[in-house]
Amino acid sequence: MKIEKNTLRRWAAGLALAVLVSQIPTAAFAVSSNVVSETKDKTELTVSQIKDLAAIYNPTNKTYALNQKNLDLNQTTTSNNLRSAQNSLNSGYDVDTSSVTAIQAQIDELLSKYGSEGEMSESDKAELTLLRQQLSQAEAGVSSAYAANESSFQSALNNIEQLDSTLDSYDDEQDDLDKTVSDWEIQVRMIAEVLCMQATQYEKNITLLEDQITLAEKALNLAQVQQELGMALTTDVQSSQTSLEESRQSLETIKENLSDVKRQINVLIGRNQGSPLEIVPMSVPVIVSKIPAYSDALVKEITSKDYTLKTYERTIASYKDDVDGETDSDVLQAADNKIEAVKLNIEERERSIANNVKAQLAKMTTDKASYETSQTKVATEKKNLEVSQKKYDLGMLTASQLLQQEISYQSAVVTHWKNSYNYYLDWQEYKAMKEGIDISTYSSYRM
């Protein structure tokens, strides 16, 4: 049994690691303009193509597009209502005082004929008395109209203020939606990459399990022969059968897991769940870079990019604007209470960020150690396999023993591949944290 070089290359394929010295890998978020035409009707896709297609076709894009349409409609409707209210305020609250002016003019003309009222004729005195009664009635009507308009005018002002405030809130909603969409464009590409890595991991595990099953079948056959010769107990055969059955069951489980991941990828890239999909073998860029030390300066830098904190500051500013010019002490106190509550949220958020930074750095340190340990393990197992091959050639090992050593090497390669991309993902998450990008949905996809 000779293990050819191509066999070793098959298992070492996952170790084709592009080493980036002292550099955090920057994902290319721009979508290839030709990706749709390039991938039409293709069943084998590269990871880069899958990420581009996910950015275009993921179902969440439709939700955000609908949210934008609703927000645009609300803004347009409110703007129209505001203009209508302003026009009504400018033209709809004038009071007609022409009757008062006309009656006063008649009174002035009548008085101008005489030096005093005492010189007036009886008929003119009667007419003057009547005009003064009419003037009093007209002035009362004008006063009543002004009083009614004052209430309507204030109501209109309040309505305009409310509409203006609503428009301001839509501006905030637009900012929030823009940030969410921007973060999602990055996050969905990270999700696509993680799913591709999971699919690759399952494929490697399937190959490993198939070899383990081959070894288990040989072990069972040997145990059965030994039992027939009286050299093994029934329990030995049963143990071999159980081991074989467990391996077969694990294989079926992993195959189903692989199918599930491929279904998720298909949905993400706008294809039917059951569409055939093969992923071009991927390499994992590994960062050989010093992990940053936890410090107040680092936490402050990351905190400054946190969008949630910005929304809290925006809320405080809004509460202050609401009571600008207010003199009622109860209203001012209520606003102060709201502001204090938001400040408590800010303090809690800042503590959470500090804890998250500390946890992320600790995870990076742990995963780096795992990466380095598994790297050493691969080198050791490769040497052991080479020695075992020589012993087998000399007749010092059986085929089963050589296969067992090959499986040990294969297992080390698979473990190192997983550790490699875990460490790579740690750095991607750290980069997103430093840029204030929300990756909460992506986090649920990490294995």
Side-chain angles (χ1 to χ4, degrees):
M1 178 178 179
K2 182 72 172 179
I3 300 180
E4 303 294 341
K5 289 184 178 179
N6 61 353
T7 303
L8 296 179
R9 282 199 297 269
R10 180 189 66 175
W11 288 101
L15 301 180
L17 308 175
V19 178
L20 307 181
V21 180
S22 302
Q23 177 182 351
I24 300 176
T26 302
F29 297 126
V31 175
S32 169
S33 58
N34 299 323
V35 68
V36 175
S37 59
E38 289 173 352
T39 59
K40 185 178 180 182
D41 300 327
K42 284 190 175 182
T43 59
E44 184 178 60
L45 303 174
T46 66
V47 176
S48 178
Q49 289 172 332
I50 289 173
K51 289 164 66 175
D52 284 347
L53 291 172
I56 297 171
Y57 293 115
N58 75 87
T60 304
N61 283 357
K62 295 180 180 179
T63 299
Y64 291 146
L66 180 60
N67 290 346
Q68 184 63 66
K69 286 183 180 179
N70 289 335
L71 183 56
D72 289 341
L73 177 61
N74 290 338
Q75 287 176 319
T76 300
T77 301
T78 304
S79 294
N80 291 339
N81 290 340
L82 179 59
R83 281 194 294 271
S84 176
Q86 290 171 334
N87 292 337
S88 297
L89 184 67
N90 292 332
S91 61
Y93 295 96
D94 293 333
V95 174
D96 184 6
T97 61
S98 59
S99 60
V100 173
T101 302
I103 295 172
Q104 184 62 56
Q106 292 180 54
I107 291 174
D108 293 342
E109 182 181 0
L110 186 60
L111 289 174
S112 67
K113 295 178 181 179
Y114 302 96
S116 64
E117 290 186 26
E119 299 175 357
M120 296 177 68
S121 64
E122 292 300 321
S123 62
D124 285 342
K125 286 182 179 180
E127 183 179 357
L128 178 62
T129 299
L130 179 62
L131 286 172
R132 283 175 171 169
Q133 290 175 348
Q134 292 175 348
L135 177 63
S136 178
Q137 292 174 352
E139 288 175 339
V142 168
S143 296
S144 176
Y146 272 123
N149 272 6
E150 182 178 4
S151 175
S152 298
F153 185 80
Q154 187 59 51
S155 176
L157 279 179
N158 292 339
N159 183 41
I160 288 174
E161 289 178 0
Q162 181 60 49
L163 290 171
D164 195 50
S165 176
T166 300
L167 278 179
D168 287 342
S169 72
Y170 288 149
D171 288 340
D172 292 340
E173 286 186 34
Q174 185 65 67
D175 290 342
D176 293 345
L177 182 57
D178 288 344
K179 180 63 168 64
T180 299
V181 171
S182 175
D183 286 356
W184 177 246
E185 289 174 354
I186 297 171
Q187 190 172 192
V188 72
R189 296 175 67 87
M190 294 176 68
I191 291 171
E193 186 169 32
V194 165
L195 290 175
C196 289
M197 288 178 168
Q198 289 177 7
T200 302
Q201 180 76 28
Y202 286 135
E203 287 172 347
K204 290 179 179 295
N205 285 335
I206 286 171
T207 304
L208 178 60
L209 269 172
E210 286 173 343
D211 283 350
Q212 289 176 336
I213 288 172
T214 298
L215 183 62
E217 287 172 343
K218 290 182 178 180
L220 176 59
N221 291 335
L222 179 60
Q224 289 172 335
V225 171
Q226 289 175 334
Q227 183 188 34
E228 292 174 0
L229 297 174
M231 299 171 62
L233 300 175
T234 303
T235 53
D236 295 332
V237 175
Q238 292 174 342
S239 177
S240 296
Q241 288 174 331
T242 300
S243 178
L244 177 59
E245 185 58 36
E246 288 176 350
S247 295
R248 286 172 174 168
Q249 187 174 351
S250 296
L251 179 61
E252 292 306 311
T253 299
I254 293 177
K255 284 182 176 180
E256 181 54 39
N257 289 341
L258 175 59
S259 297
D260 181 61
V261 169
K262 287 187 176 182
R263 284 193 290 268
Q264 292 183 63
I265 294 174
N266 276 328
V267 171
L268 204 60
I269 63 177
R271 297 186 176 185
N272 293 329
Q273 285 189 8
S275 298
L277 174 65
E278 295 299 328
I279 302 170
V280 175
M282 59 188 293
S283 61
V284 183
V286 174
I287 304 159
V288 180
S289 181
K290 184 179 180 181
I291 296 174
Y294 178 85
S295 67
D296 291 340
L298 178 59
V299 173
K300 184 177 180 181
E301 178 186 356
I302 293 175
T303 299
S304 69
K305 298 291 184 68
D306 186 71
Y307 189 75
T308 299
L309 287 176
K310 289 181 173 59
T311 64
Y312 287 151
E313 295 293 348
R314 186 178 68 194
T315 300
I316 289 177
S318 176
Y319 287 152
K320 289 180 178 180
D321 287 344
D322 289 344
V323 295
D324 185 33
E326 180 63 60
T327 58
D328 189 316
S329 60
D330 291 338
V331 174
L332 291 173
Q333 184 60 55
D336 286 341
N337 292 342
K338 291 180 180 179
I339 290 172
E340 287 304 313
V342 177
K343 287 181 177 179
L344 291 176
N345 290 337
I346 290 176
E347 292 176 3
E348 176 61 30
R349 180 66 178 177
E350 289 175 341
R351 284 194 295 269
S352 177
I353 291 172
N355 291 335
N356 289 340
V357 172
K358 188 177 295 184
Q360 183 65 26
L361 295 178
K363 186 175 186 300
M364 292 166 70
T365 300
T366 299
D367 287 348
K368 180 182 180 182
S370 297
Y371 163 74
E372 292 171 343
T373 299
S374 61
Q375 188 176 44
T376 301
K377 178 70 171 175
V378 168
T380 300
E381 290 298 333
K382 184 177 180 180
K383 289 180 181 178
N384 291 339
L385 179 56
E386 291 170 351
V387 171
S388 295
Q389 180 69 64
K390 292 177 182 178
K391 288 184 177 180
Y392 174 79
D393 293 340
L394 295 173
M396 299 171 62
L397 289 180
T398 65
S400 294
Q401 289 173 323
L402 180 59
L403 180 58
Q404 179 63 63
Q405 185 57 57
E406 183 187 357
I407 290 174
S408 296
Y409 170 69
Q410 295 166 356
S411 178
V413 169
V414 171
T415 299
H416 184 53
W417 194 92
K418 181 178 180 179
N419 290 342
S420 298
Y421 93 66
N422 275 336
Y423 186 41
Y424 160 74
L425 291 177
D426 289 344
W427 276 98
Q428 294 296 89
E429 292 164 9
Y430 174 73
K431 179 177 180 291
M433 179 183 285
K434 288 196 69 177
E435 294 179 358
I437 299 170
D438 174 27
I439 56 172
S440 54
T441 303
Y442 150 86
S443 298
S444 65
Y445 285 83
R446 277 283 314 252
M447 290 179 66

